[in-house]
Amino acid sequence: MTQINSNQTENFLPYMRDVVRCEQSLHELNLMWRIIESSAKMNCSEEAKSILPTMAETRLGFNRLERELVLSLVSEKVSTVLEEIGTKAHYVIDILVRNLYERTADVGFLATDNELCAFVAGLQGNQDATRLRLRAYASKYTVYDEIILLDTDGNVLVQINNETPIEGSTDPLIKATLETEGYVETYRATDLRPNKDKALIYSKRMHHPETGAVIGVLCLCFNFTQEMAGIFQSHGDPTGRSVMLLVDAHNTVIESSNHRWIAKGSEITSCDHQQGAIVVYCGRQYLACCFYAEQYQGYQGPPGWRGMVMSPIDIAFTSQETEALTGLNPIIAEGLLSHAKSFCPPLYEIINAAEAIKRVVWNGQVTTAGQGEESSRLKTILDQISETGVRSNELFSQSINELYETVLASKLQESEFVSTLLVDLLDRNLYERSNDCRWWALTPELKTALSSEQINPAEVEKITDILEYINQLYTVYTRIFVYDKTGTIIASTGKAKEHKLVVGTTIDEHTLDNVLMLRQEQQYVVTAFEASDLYNQAPTYVYHAAIRAPENTAVVGGIGIVFDSTPELLAMLNSGFKSSDVVRGFYVDSTGKIISSTDPTRPVGSQLAMAPELLALKNGESASKIIVHDDHYAIMGCSVSNGYREFKVSDGYQEDVIAVVIYMLGEEKEFNEQHAGLIIQGAASKNQTMEFAIFTVDGSLFALEVEYVLEAIAASEISMVSLGASVERVGLLPTDTQSESSYVWVYDLGYLLTGVPTQISTASQVVVVKFEGQKIGLLVNALNSVTAFDMSQISTSPLIADGKQVLIKKIIQANQGNVLIQWLDMRVLYTFLRNHVVSTAVESSD
């Protein structure tokens, strides 16, 4: 999508009130940090020497946040809107093109219908009988509002719509169709449809049944306006913040979801395929996206047609209140935040800034520990830092929540929308299958042949040729077969070897009984989605319709069409989103059993774990939620089929399918929230006390004598190295403490204590310590505080000689004994590292 630069930011900011508030708050805090830094330099430059660089870094960070965070926030919001309208623009054209492809196949088949060709040639039939046959076709394929047969001079021989009678036509499409071997696609004003401004017509020439001469033209008139209205109604923006358009090659609006907003026939400024742009229409600025269709079965739709969605900038960013985080498990929320850098960089920057403030205070507390009254001025500065840090954290928390909500809510909405589109594609596709089997069951040659007491080889060959011709036009079937009233298959398409294996076999009794019980031509039978001998033992749907005698309604056999479900369903899923390792798509039944899957680890027939409330959704309903899937945080969106036109709505067929989309957000991480945000209460008196630097490792609190602690540095500064690496030693870290510039090895304290490697997050820190002249870094999960404890609060810990517990020297009882802090023995820790890890330090100090 388009990139937003600093100049364009000014266009969007007035319509993003939350970003404006954030910008103002950042500016105020930036000024406060400048005052604090200046005060520290003037009043206690020597005492604050060790933390001034970090304070300066924090201030510069606020400068950058003030300049860049706003730009990032604006860009994130704009990208969210563009992604949303881009998805809709994609589907406007793709759904239409898939529909129109079926029309190209229909006109090719119907133009070769023997009864219709014989009528146009004047060999048999009459106008009333032919009209009834055409209406029978239209009743199966309800997308047509007119079907016309014309002779070579443009005279109308028969039409099905009595409301707009026409005698003939001079439209050039007749001449073009007569001269074209294939079909002709026409969209414009025409005298064939005098009551319409424009009509979409598929026409094909017809041939004499005996001589092969061109004798006339068949026109199928697609109910285009109704179809587009259905697409807009199903997939338009319920909040009214965007308008969906179908645009032609000349940038003229063919159809609009809101004619009072952007009228049909309007000329608009378009944008490049798959790109977002700022478009001005009637003096109003819009964010817009447009897509050309992807080819479907080699067909790409009318030349130059594309889907386009436009959203006015002044309302594009006003959305409904979301509750993506409400009720979310805090552990999952923390885990999602740990992946902020990958799915929302501005959020990651905010979290880093918050951690930087905590580190400034912690390092300042380490510096002033044990200095008594001499450090009072610096402690005053630290108090100011803490107070400003609280204000900063409040701002950050608000920004985090808003950004978090925006990103997650967008993904939740997108997952629902895409799943709705996927299930709509499925219903529309299978609607055509139900039409095909019913229409082909009316083929006169099939009715006549099956009415015979005994079918001779010549008739079988003729039937096979008809089925082969149909199968060439409708490539979504692997097999089309015909069977008699005993269920014995007498003719079938397919490869030669498979063909011989199928002919002579019988369909199952249950299906045969259901076919024989069909009372009307509009009825059909669909088998359950299960393994079939007719589909090489793979699961699929097989559609059946009854074939009746020519002179009465007695059922004399049936026709079955085997849907090529494996590639066709997968193609529908893949059309729903760009190929990606982080997106999974599924069709499942009402129990969660997989019908189709883009995930090779979950094949067809396996079970997809879904929450009961998602499986219990009613027809046409959608929902989404944040889950843990395959050890990853993910968003699952799903929609239940609702049918298309009469299919699954009023035709008696019920087969609920759920489309599921899963967006993977990042690998699951383990977090222990037991001591998150806990304030450690120290000794009330300064007599007989010791000061400790406190931090968390794997959810537990640990302490080190503050005299050994030099500083804390963000774990993101660690440089991973291969030379001298081990499980305990995770990398090198540059330090600049007490005029000593050097590198230290960093050891994973969590691994040393528990045997489980620490997962580094934005809160992770490295505590740099110095013991007996050697400096090392200890990787910890988070910093807590620097606190003094009375000696009475410290008790001896039992030692276990052969375990890692020997690292724990004593236990500190804090907060009136309600919190236990483990005191690490520095001598034991260094001894352990010398004995188990070669070269414990890159550089030693004095």
Side-chain angles (χ1 to χ4, degrees):
M1 293 297 178
T2 186
Q3 296 295 317
I4 304 302
N5 58 45
S6 56
N7 294 327
Q8 291 175 310
T9 301
E10 299 301 322
N11 294 330
F12 301 117
L13 261 180
Y15 312 111
M16 299 179 179
R17 296 179 181 177
D18 53 343
V19 179
V20 172
R21 288 195 301 267
C22 181
E23 181 184 36
Q24 292 171 344
S25 298
L26 283 169
H27 183 65
E28 293 174 3
L29 287 171
N30 190 7
L31 292 176
M32 183 61 68
W33 283 114
R34 287 176 179 273
I35 293 172
I36 293 173
E37 184 183 9
S38 298
S39 178
K41 286 180 178 179
M42 290 186 296
N43 298 321
C44 51
S45 58
E46 187 62 29
E47 297 93 329
K49 180 172 59 177
S50 62
I51 63 170
L52 282 174
T54 309
M55 290 180 62
E57 181 183 347
T58 303
R59 177 181 54 78
L60 292 174
F62 266 91
N63 278 331
R64 180 178 53 78
L65 282 175
E66 188 177 357
R67 293 191 308 270
E68 298 180 5
L69 179 58
V70 172
L71 177 62
S72 297
L73 294 175
V74 171
S75 179
E76 185 72 29
K77 286 180 173 287
V78 172
S79 296
T80 297
V81 173
L82 289 177
E83 189 171 350
E84 177 184 343
I85 65 176
T87 301
K88 293 181 178 181
H90 183 194
Y91 274 94
V92 167
I93 189 64
D94 266 15
I95 288 175
L96 178 64
V97 164
R98 283 171 171 266
N99 194 319
L100 299 186
Y101 164 76
E102 300 287 348
R103 313 296 59 96
T104 66
D106 289 350
V107 74
F109 171 72
L110 193 59
T112 62
D113 183 275
N114 282 341
E115 283 194 7
L116 299 181
C117 289
F119 168 75
V120 174
L123 299 179
Q124 66 180 43
N126 58 61
Q127 193 177 63
D128 290 338
T130 303
R131 183 178 291 109
L132 286 174
R133 180 158 179 77
L134 291 177
R135 284 178 176 169
Y137 183 84
S139 68
K140 310 293 185 299
Y141 299 86
T142 55
V143 295
Y144 300 115
D145 57 3
E146 177 69 290
I147 302 176
I148 308 171
L149 296 179
L150 306 99
D151 64 18
T152 54
D153 295 322
N155 298 309
V156 174
L157 302 177
V158 66
Q159 66 180 114
I160 65 170
N161 193 332
N162 293 329
E163 295 179 0
T164 55
I166 54 176
E167 294 182 359
S169 172
T170 59
D171 195 300
L173 78 82
I174 298 173
K175 183 175 184 295
T177 304
L178 292 171
E179 296 174 352
T180 303
E181 184 175 351
Y183 67 89
V184 174
E185 186 177 57
T186 306
Y187 178 71
R188 53 175 169 73
T190 172
D191 58 5
L192 289 166
R193 301 294 284 141
N195 64 330
K196 292 181 178 288
D197 294 333
K198 293 182 179 180
L200 180 58
I201 299 176
Y202 290 85
S203 56
K204 195 174 190 311
R205 68 188 186 187
M206 304 175 75
H207 297 267
H208 195 287
E210 298 174 357
T211 67
V214 177
I215 55 173
V217 173
L218 164 71
C219 293
L220 295 180
C221 303
F222 182 58
N223 199 341
F224 180 65
T225 300
Q226 183 189 72
E227 177 64 20
M228 291 306 303
I231 293 175
F232 293 149
Q233 182 178 5
S234 298
H235 306 300
D237 183 358
T239 66
R241 292 181 297 117
S242 63
V243 58
M244 303 176 78
L245 307 171
L246 183 66
V247 182
D248 67 14
H250 304 291
N251 295 330
T252 300
V253 176
I254 302 171
E255 289 291 347
S256 168
S257 64
N258 191 327
H259 292 277
R260 290 176 295 179
W261 196 341
I262 299 180
K264 180 179 177 178
S266 301
E267 299 287 334
I268 62 170
T269 303
S270 187
C271 48
D272 295 333
H273 170 61
Q274 248 178 331
Q275 293 295 314
I278 298 177
V279 172
V280 177
Y281 176 75
C282 290
R284 195 178 190 185
Q285 284 188 319
Y286 291 79
L287 279 175
C289 276
C290 74
F291 275 77
Y292 290 97
E294 297 179 2
Q295 283 194 359
Y296 178 65
Q297 304 286 351
Y299 173 74
Q300 199 159 9
W305 283 22
R306 56 199 183 276
M308 187 170 181
V309 177
M310 298 170 58
S311 183
I313 290 178
D314 55 323
I315 62 173
F317 311 105
T318 58
S319 58
Q320 302 285 334
E321 288 189 7
T322 58
E323 297 182 350
L325 296 176
T326 303
L328 191 62
N329 186 316
I331 302 297
I332 294 180
E334 182 69 20
L336 282 170
L337 280 172
S338 70
H339 293 285
K341 188 174 185 178
S342 61
F343 74 91
C344 184
L347 186 57
Y348 177 79
E349 296 297 332
I350 288 175
I351 297 170
N352 273 350
E355 295 300 331
I357 294 171
K358 294 178 185 178
R359 193 166 54 252
V360 168
V361 175
W362 199 85
N363 283 335
Q365 291 173 333
V366 168
T367 301
T368 59
Q371 295 184 16
E373 298 300 325
E374 299 176 2
S375 62
S376 59
R377 288 176 295 181
L378 179 56
K379 287 186 176 180
T380 301
I381 296 296
L382 290 176
D383 289 341
Q384 293 176 343
I385 293 175
S386 295
E387 181 181 345
T388 307
V390 170
R391 290 183 57 194
S392 300
N393 284 336
E394 289 175 354
L395 168 64
F396 293 152
S397 295
Q398 181 180 355
S399 299
I400 285 171
N401 284 335
E402 290 177 353
L403 257 180
Y404 208 18
E405 288 282 3
T406 297
V407 173
L408 293 179
S410 174
K411 286 294 183 184
L412 287 165
Q413 293 170 2
E414 182 183 2
S415 68
E416 282 190 47
F417 182 72
V418 172
S419 67
T420 302
L421 291 165
L422 288 177
V423 84
D424 187 35
L425 281 178
L426 179 69
D427 283 341
R428 287 168 174 269
N429 192 299
L430 299 185
Y431 157 83
E432 303 288 349
R433 314 298 60 96
S434 69
N435 295 341
D436 292 346
C437 71
R438 289 178 295 163
W439 174 248
W440 297 336
L442 301 180
T443 304
E445 291 84 351
L446 302 183
K447 297 164 74 77
T448 300
L450 289 174
S451 296
S452 305
E453 292 185 4
Q454 187 171 358
I455 303 176
N456 60 53
E459 288 178 312
V460 171
E461 184 176 354
K462 184 178 181 180
I463 292 174
T464 302
D465 289 342
I466 292 173
L467 300 183
E468 291 284 2
Y469 174 72
I470 295 173
N471 215 161
Q472 288 174 7
L473 289 173
Y474 297 82
T475 55
V476 296
Y477 304 113
T478 59
R479 185 181 310 283
I480 304 175
F481 59 95
V482 169
Y483 49 92
D484 61 23
K485 61 184 177 182
T486 69
T488 303
I489 297 176
I490 62 172
S492 173
T493 64
K495 297 178 182 178
K497 183 178 179 181
E498 294 177 351
H499 168 80
K500 293 177 181 178
L501 292 174
V502 168
V503 173
T505 62
T506 59
I507 65 172
D508 66 277
E509 291 185 10
H510 177 70
T511 301
L512 179 61
D513 289 343
N514 287 335
V515 172
L516 295 176
M517 290 173 62
L518 296 176
R519 294 290 176 259
Q520 301 175 2
E521 291 179 354
Q522 292 296 94
Q523 296 177 317
Y524 60 95
V525 172
V526 187
T527 63
F529 190 83
E530 57 190 15
S532 172
D533 294 337
L534 299 169
Y535 195 54
N536 197 27
Q537 292 302 314
T540 190
Y541 296 111
V542 181
Y543 288 75
H544 294 260
I547 298 175
R548 304 176 188 278
E551 305 301 330
N552 55 60
T553 59
V555 177
V556 293
I559 184 170
I561 55 179
V562 182
F563 182 52
D564 194 5
S565 62
T566 300
E568 291 298 323
L569 295 179
L570 186 60
M572 292 181 216
L573 290 176
N574 285 328
S575 71
F577 37 78
K578 297 176 182 178
S579 179
S580 172
D581 292 336
V582 298
V583 187
R584 313 280 190 270
F586 305 89
Y587 286 125
V588 303
D589 66 16
S590 57
T591 68
K593 184 179 179 181
I594 294 175
I595 295 173
S596 183
S597 166
T598 65
D599 183 354
T601 67
R602 286 181 171 79
V604 174
S606 60
Q607 204 73 17
L608 180 65
M610 295 178 63
E613 63 267 24
L614 298 182
L615 290 174
L617 290 172
K618 298 178 181 179
N619 294 108
E621 290 186 341
S622 301
S624 56
K625 66 182 304 181
I626 297 169
I627 62 171
V628 175
H629 177 79
D630 286 348
D631 299 324
H632 282 69
Y633 305 109
I635 285 176
M636 174 183 284
C638 57
S639 298
V640 184
S641 57
N642 198 35
Y644 171 66
R645 293 183 176 267
E646 69 279 0
F647 177 68
K648 290 187 180 181
V649 176
S650 60
D651 62 359
Y653 175 52
Q654 185 67 39
E655 174 73 9
D656 293 341
V657 174
I658 306 173
V660 181
V661 178
I662 298 177
Y663 290 91
M664 312 292 273
L665 299 178
E667 188 176 355
E668 182 184 15
K669 296 185 178 181
E670 294 184 5
F671 293 92
N672 189 324
E673 297 296 310
Q674 181 181 358
H675 298 298
L678 177 67
I679 299 175
I680 300 299
Q681 299 171 2
S685 171
K686 295 300 180 182
N687 298 324
Q688 297 293 316
T689 61
M690 289 186 64
E691 288 187 285
F692 293 88
I694 303 170
F695 44 83
T696 60
V697 176
D698 193 33
S700 299
L701 291 170
F702 291 85
L704 281 173
E705 297 99 315
V706 74
E707 62 186 277
Y708 300 129
V709 178
L710 300 179
E711 63 176 330
I713 302 174
S716 58
E717 300 296 321
I718 298 175
S719 299
M720 304 300 177
V721 293
S722 57
L723 181 64
S726 64
V727 179
E728 297 93 342
R729 192 158 55 194
V730 295
L732 284 170
L733 184 72
T735 65
D736 187 10
T737 304
Q738 297 176 353
S739 301
E740 297 175 8
S741 297
S742 62
Y743 284 85
V744 297
W745 283 112
V746 178
Y747 297 92
D748 185 348
L749 187 55
Y751 180 80
L752 294 173
L753 292 166
T754 67
V756 179
T758 298
Q759 294 180 331
I760 297 178
S761 69
T762 53
S764 299
Q765 307 287 332
V766 176
V767 177
V768 180
V769 297
K770 184 177 181 181
F771 182 77
E772 294 183 346
Q774 290 184 322
K775 289 192 301 181
I776 62 171
L778 300 175
L779 176 63
V780 302
N781 292 126
L783 303 175
N784 186 283
S785 62
V786 177
T787 308
F789 295 101
D790 190 276
M791 296 304 294
S792 63
Q793 295 177 268
I794 303 172
S795 60
T796 303
S797 173
L799 301 180
I800 303 175
D802 58 351
K804 296 291 177 66
Q805 288 87 341
V806 295
L807 294 176
I808 307 305
K809 183 176 183 179
K810 293 184 179 181
I811 299 296
I812 303 171
Q813 300 179 46
N815 294 25
Q816 298 179 342
N818 294 320
V819 177
L820 299 181
I821 305 172
Q822 302 176 68
W823 179 358
L824 285 169
D825 189 322
M826 286 293 289
R827 184 173 299 279
V828 174
L829 175 62
Y830 267 70
T831 301
F832 175 82
L833 293 176
R834 291 191 188 101
N835 293 338
H836 292 81
V837 184
V838 179
S839 182
T840 58
V842 171
E843 180 178 335
S844 299
S845 58
D846 51 29

